[in-house]
Amino acid sequence: TKSTRPQRLLKAVQKHSTRGDPQSVISAIDHFCRHREWAMNVGDEKGSILDSVVSELNPEKVLELGTYCGYSTVRIARLLPPGARLITLEFNADYAAIARQVIAWAGLEDKVQLVEGASGDWIPRMKEHFGIETFDFVFLDHWKDRYLPDTKLMEDCGLLRKGTVLLADNVICPGVPDYLEYVRNSLSYKSCYFKSHLEYTKAEDGLEKSVFLG
Ligand SMILES: O=C(NC/C=C/[C@H]1O[C@@H](n2ccc(=O)cc2)[C@H](O)[C@@H]1O)c1cc([N+](=O)[O-])cc(O)c1O
Ligand SMILES: [Mg+2]
């Protein structure tokens, strides 16, 4: 039977990158997506912006919504200090199986906990199940109609503290208008837009960085 795109992406990682070398994994995925098959990774251009936000923040507790094949998981985890933890939520079991192998190939499994299921089910369980008080950094890159409800859910569950940074992918393409309107108009957030391009294309897209003010 025909392979899936995530399976072909994993094969490209195993063929063209070095085990235990996260940067080579990132480069292999970007090359595959630019020259073989486009895939919905945050990509190299927006990925550099993601890197700078993570490096500046040095977060201890990170939540990623939407693992897919683990590209941004590897980008973030490779920058985390020792002892820092990244929890990444993935709904699709097939994507999760590929992501686990990409994360392991990069040698980052000790920093990453991939949880299978829906964000709406797991966000309310972060405290009792993972012993998380609050997150320092949240990367939103899952279903675009879930960005806003999940942000409100994180607020309601007390998972955001003064200074928690939310970074949202795709605020232009495919777009998340309700989320943007909320974080840009709410008195609880200081928000700013990082203009960039949709991964591996010339179309405009960007990241919205929103600091929770408590
Ligand atoms: O649609 C997009 N992303 C949706 C991602 C969804 C991912 O989040 C997971 N999830 C995890 C937990 C959940 O609760 C729900 C879903 C899904 O199982 C999937 O792995 C998208 C589309 C384009 N595009 O150009 O079309 C570009 C992008 O950068 C994108 O991110
Ligand atoms: Mg995206």
Side-chain angles (χ1 to χ4, degrees):
T1 52
K2 194 167 168 3
S3 66
T4 66
R5 179 168 305 177
Q7 285 169 332
R8 295 191 292 271
L9 181 148
L10 172 63
K11 284 278 169 290
V13 164
Q14 293 166 335
K15 184 173 179 192
H16 300 292
S17 74
T18 307
R19 183 191 279 276
D21 176 355
Q23 188 52 58
S24 76
V25 171
I26 292 163
S27 301
I29 294 173
D30 284 331
H31 188 275
F32 176 79
C33 293
R34 198 173 281 285
H35 302 291
R36 291 276 180 278
E37 300 185 60
W38 185 93
M40 59 180 179
N41 316 120
V42 72
D44 45 358
E45 193 179 314
K46 289 185 289 178
S48 298
I49 300 167
L50 170 61
D51 289 356
S52 59
V53 171
V54 173
S55 300
E56 182 193 334
L57 210 51
N58 247 329
E60 295 284 317
K61 297 275 180 278
V62 179
L63 176 63
E64 175 179 63
L65 301 176
T67 318
Y68 186 45
C69 295
Y71 174 89
S72 50
T73 320
V74 168
R75 281 204 87 110
I76 296 167
R78 86 191 200 283
L79 299 174
L80 296 182
R85 327 258 330 105
L86 193 171
I87 295 176
T88 182
L89 300 186
E90 179 44 57
F91 182 75
N92 180 304
D94 298 325
Y95 296 164
I98 297 296
R100 290 188 199 285
Q101 296 174 76
V102 169
I103 293 159
W105 185 270
L108 294 167
E109 61 273 35
D110 294 348
K111 292 176 182 283
V112 176
Q113 187 151 12
L114 194 161
V115 179
E116 286 184 50
S119 51
D121 297 339
W122 278 103
I123 285 170
R125 303 181 60 197
M126 283 298 154
K127 290 186 190 253
E128 43 97 11
H129 203 272
F130 298 101
I132 297 273
E133 276 312 302
T134 57
F135 286 106
D136 304 312
F137 177 65
V138 183
F139 182 54
L140 298 92
D141 193 19
H142 60 332
W143 293 334
K144 307 316 165 194
D145 61 357
R146 289 300 311 174
Y147 282 29
L148 183 53
D150 285 343
T151 296
K152 291 181 171 176
L153 187 55
M154 288 187 285
E155 289 175 20
D156 297 345
C157 295
L159 288 168
L160 308 182
R161 50 115 176 129
K162 204 184 292 291
T164 296
V165 170
L166 307 187
L167 189 66
D169 190 26
N170 310 118
V171 296
I172 301 300
C173 178
V176 275
D178 60 344
Y179 173 82
L180 267 193
E181 200 272 333
Y182 179 72
V183 290
R184 289 177 174 177
N185 295 298
S186 164
L187 297 177
S188 300
Y189 293 91
K190 176 89 186 75
S191 208
C192 64
Y193 174 59
F194 291 82
K195 183 180 164 94
S196 184
H197 295 95
L198 179 67
E199 50 266 27
Y200 319 116
T201 78
K202 292 185 169 30
E204 181 179 348
D205 188 23
L207 301 170
E208 188 81 1
K209 177 185 174 187
S210 307
V211 184
F212 187 62
L213 303 174

